[in-house]
Structure formats: C-alpha cells, structure tokens
Amino acid sequence: MSTSDTNISGSKEDHIRNTTFIVIDFEWNQPISWIKTSIDPKILPGEIIEIGAVKVSFNEGEWILSKPFHRLIRPVCYTVLNKSVARVINKVSSDLKCGDRFDKAYKEFMSWCGSDFVICGWGNSDLGILKSNLRLHGQNSDIGHPFLDIQSLFSRLAEDSSRQRSVEYAVDFFGITKRQVFHEAHQDAHYTAQILRQLLLLTPSKTDEVHVEETESTLEIVKKFIYDPDLNVKISYNTDLFYTWEKCFSYSQKQELACPACGESLIEELPWFRIKKSAFSVWRCEKHQFIRGRMRMKKNPVGKIYATVDIQLIIPSEIRKVQEKHMEYLEFGAEGKPKEIIEVSLEPEQK
Ligand SMILES: [Zn+2]
C-alpha cells in the first residue's frame, strides 16, 4: 500500500482515533573495524538482529496496546557482536547464530502489521537502518507508510522543548512501571507504545511557536508530526561566487525556492536571517507542510564566497531550533552571540 492511500489530512481527531499506530524497535549489530566485510559500513551502518513492535489503537473509548511482535534475526554481514553493541543489549556473539533470515522475519512482520497503519519509532534512526537492510536484501527500500517520531512528539507535548530524551527518561516522566529490562526490541517497543498512549491522552502545554494556534488539541498536533518517510526531503545546491559574505547572502536570499517534494512554490513563514556564515529561513508547502532553508557560506581556494543552500522538509519540532537561532539574531544581529558567553550545552543524541 502506498502512503497516499493512508492520507493523513482530512477530518481532524476522528482520523487519529481510527489510526493504528505500530511502534517499532529494532536492535542492530555494527561493523567491527578490524574485521573485513563485503559491504561498505557507510552503506550498511547496522545490521538488524531483532525486530520488536507493538500496535496502539483506539477501541471502545481507550487506547489499547497489542501483544508485542518479536523476532530474532541471524545477520549475514556483521556476524560477530560489536563490543559497544553488546554493552547495551543483553546478548553475546553466539546469540547471533540463532534467529530467522531477515527476509522471512520482515515478511512476517509486515503481515502482522496489516494494511493501513502509521509506523512509529523513538527517533528516526530505526527507519534509516531498516532502509539500508531492505537494500542489503535486494528489496525496495521504501517504507510505504506514514511515520511518526515519538521522541520529538514527546519533546513537544510533554516538555515543550527541543531536547532529545531517552525512552527510559520518558518512562520515568510518566511514572510507567518498569517490569522488563530495556534494550530488548519487544520490551522497548512496549515501553515506547506506553509512552505514545500517555502522549495521546495529554493536554498539550502552551507553546510560543508562531504558526501554532493555542487552541490546538493534542490529536491535531500528533497529526502534524506524521510524515511520509519516502519523500525526497532535501535539495542542495551551490550559489554563484561573490566578493563578500554580505553580497553572497543578500543575493542568495532572493532566489526563488520550491518544495523539495513536489516542486510547488513556497509560502514564507520566517524570512532568511544571517548569523555569521550561516543563514536560516522557514517555509511552508500547502501539501508538505514545513520546510527549512539553510545556507552555509564558504570561501573557495581563490578567496571568493559562495553558499551551499539546503532546502529540507522538516517536522514541526525542528522549527523550534530555527526559532532559537532567530532569537539569537534578534538579540545580537548577524554577528551572533559573542563567543565568551556561548554556553557549552552540547548533549549527545540519546536513543
Ligand atoms: Zn510540497
């Protein structure tokens, strides 16, 4: 079934209540640098060794969770367990000899899913890994169903921030009982499904996002976070050459932009602004919602300036990062926040 069959626009809250959410969690093994493999690790960053999933659907007035789907998979490329993977999942190398072939397990997973559903994950790394594993096994790498990132939905609905939290953090946040260990695919899927259920029942906290009406309900916000993971989401190009950063920016910001997914012209949400050698903007396509423009200006070997421009579909939670940049711009202008008062706030991405 193609994504267009699962059209997410249409009537508001009823549509979300008629949706089956399938929360996935994969565990994957990673390459080991000193073992030669037949495939480039950039093409296959991880090989799936476990599929876990739980369905969340609305039935007789409440959101209910299915029994987990669970399969172990025998890897064909990365057959020795990577130490850093072993540290987080409860497995040893010999465990990788058990399990089904990927093809068989994925086929069974798809028939368990049914035909009309939204795939959900904690962050979108499972999706990238799934696509690379489908390619490895000679299959079409399209997901074919809409996707919802529960991690960014959690940030928006529970904390109204752009911080990336771990599953365990969100489990504690909602006071969900911890019976099973983390980092087994079907257990993590079950925890993440419980988080989704809590989110669907939440009243959203207030937001200062310009485009969001204060009256927006949780289910309307959920709908905005669902997107097509198979869309061509980004176009990049380099501009002409200029003598100064200012000229490069002022010329490049006047270029007409088109939606990277459908090519339609865009509606301006937040016009281009520049901080040092970077510039940002937010746009909207009637069909594909939010799009971020990003410019990075560089010098070529003979000292002339050009910009690399990325036009990319984004989910609503990512707009906040642009707005934070915009606040910096409003306060400090194109020079940006002076170096000595930039706080160190880099957090590692949590899964
Ligand atoms: Zn579009």
Side-chain angles (χ1 to χ4, degrees):
M1 165 159 300
S2 76
T3 311
S4 57
D5 292 326
T6 322
N7 194 354
I8 49 160
S9 59
S11 73
K12 289 177 184 171
E13 313 218 328
D14 278 353
H15 193 98
I16 292 292
R17 290 205 180 94
N18 290 331
T19 301
T20 300
F21 294 96
I22 293 187
V23 181
I24 56 165
D25 185 77
F26 301 143
E27 302 299 338
W28 57 84
N29 192 20
Q30 288 168 6
I32 297 171
S33 53
W34 45 270
I35 298 180
K36 269 208 159 173
T37 51
S38 53
I39 193 157
D40 183 349
K42 281 191 214 96
I43 293 171
L44 186 71
E47 187 170 9
I48 295 175
I49 53 174
E50 200 176 353
I51 297 180
V54 169
K55 281 180 196 170
V56 180
S57 51
F58 196 70
N59 199 337
E60 293 178 2
E62 53 184 336
W63 290 100
I64 48 170
L65 272 53
S66 76
K67 277 194 185 142
F69 174 93
H70 185 217
R71 288 290 183 283
L72 293 174
I73 292 164
R74 194 171 61 243
V76 295
C77 280
Y78 306 149
T79 52
V80 179
L81 192 61
N82 181 308
K83 266 196 186 145
S84 58
V85 176
R87 237 175 272 132
V88 279
I89 65 175
N90 301 306
K91 279 189 175 54
V92 292
S93 226
S94 58
D95 291 336
L96 301 186
K97 294 194 173 71
C98 313
D100 296 327
R101 287 171 45 91
F102 174 83
D103 292 346
K104 179 175 180 280
Y106 190 67
K107 202 172 162 194
E108 286 170 1
F109 170 58
M110 276 295 144
S111 72
W112 177 83
C113 287
S115 59
D116 195 0
F117 54 89
V118 172
I119 296 197
C120 316
W122 192 261
N124 58 12
S125 55
D126 292 83
L127 271 193
I129 291 290
L130 175 57
K131 283 177 177 245
S132 67
N133 278 253
L134 286 167
R135 270 182 233 119
L136 170 70
H137 293 277
Q139 299 188 32
N140 181 342
S141 65
D142 280 356
I143 304 298
H145 296 272
F147 181 74
L148 170 66
D149 173 5
I150 301 176
Q151 189 183 42
S152 51
L153 186 66
F154 175 83
S155 300
R156 166 65 187 90
L157 285 176
E159 299 196 307
D160 201 19
S161 80
S162 60
R163 295 187 73 166
Q164 290 185 316
R165 302 293 196 178
S166 65
V167 171
E168 194 160 7
Y169 176 94
V171 162
D172 289 336
F173 182 93
F174 286 122
I176 294 166
T177 320
K178 289 191 259 188
R179 283 208 193 88
Q180 311 101 343
V181 288
F182 286 86
H183 301 300
E184 277 189 33
H186 59 302
Q187 316 284 29
D188 277 12
H190 185 68
Y191 281 127
T192 311
Q194 290 182 81
I195 295 164
L196 175 62
R197 174 165 62 188
Q198 295 291 334
L199 290 171
L200 290 166
L201 297 171
L202 267 189
T203 309
S205 46
K206 275 192 183 167
T207 178
D208 53 7
E209 285 178 25
V210 282
H211 54 275
V212 172
E213 310 267 306
E214 284 212 6
T215 52
E216 208 168 35
S217 75
T218 296
L219 297 190
E220 282 170 309
I221 293 172
V222 172
K223 209 171 89 177
K224 282 195 175 169
F225 273 72
I226 297 172
Y227 66 94
D228 179 350
D230 301 322
L231 278 179
N232 183 13
V233 291
K234 184 170 159 183
I235 41 176
S236 300
Y237 60 90
N238 288 340
T239 64
D240 293 338
L241 298 171
F242 301 90
Y243 286 106
T244 64
W245 306 107
E246 290 77 16
K247 281 231 168 80
C248 179
F249 173 65
S250 78
Y251 176 83
S252 307
Q253 67 166 332
K254 288 179 200 135
Q255 296 296 298
E256 262 204 44
L257 300 178
C259 171
C262 67
E264 287 293 317
S265 51
L266 298 174
I267 304 149
E268 188 180 81
E269 288 273 317
L270 182 61
W272 284 105
F273 60 93
R274 174 171 85 94
I275 299 180
K276 294 182 182 136
K277 294 171 196 170
S278 300
F280 306 89
S281 58
V282 177
W283 306 81
R284 194 160 49 80
C285 163
E286 299 272 16
K287 202 165 153 204
H288 297 108
Q289 300 216 51
F290 298 106
I291 287 142
R292 176 185 60 213
R294 194 165 93 170
M295 229 185 261
R296 277 165 298 179
M297 291 184 276
K298 298 161 197 168
K299 245 182 206 160
N300 76 358
V302 294
K304 284 197 177 168
I305 313 281
Y306 69 97
T308 299
V309 184
D310 292 331
I311 308 298
Q312 183 169 15
L313 291 194
I314 55 171
I315 55 174
S317 64
E318 289 173 289
I319 296 170
R320 180 179 297 270
K321 290 176 198 156
V322 184
Q323 287 172 327
E324 283 165 5
K325 286 271 175 204
H326 192 235
M327 299 292 283
E328 182 186 339
Y329 169 75
L330 291 178
E331 197 173 344
F332 301 101
E335 288 310 304
K337 200 167 182 174
K339 263 215 172 95
E340 58 271 24
I341 54 170
I342 291 178
E343 305 135 35
V344 181
S345 66
L346 287 176
E347 278 177 69
E349 191 175 310
Q350 293 178 335
K351 185 182 183 289

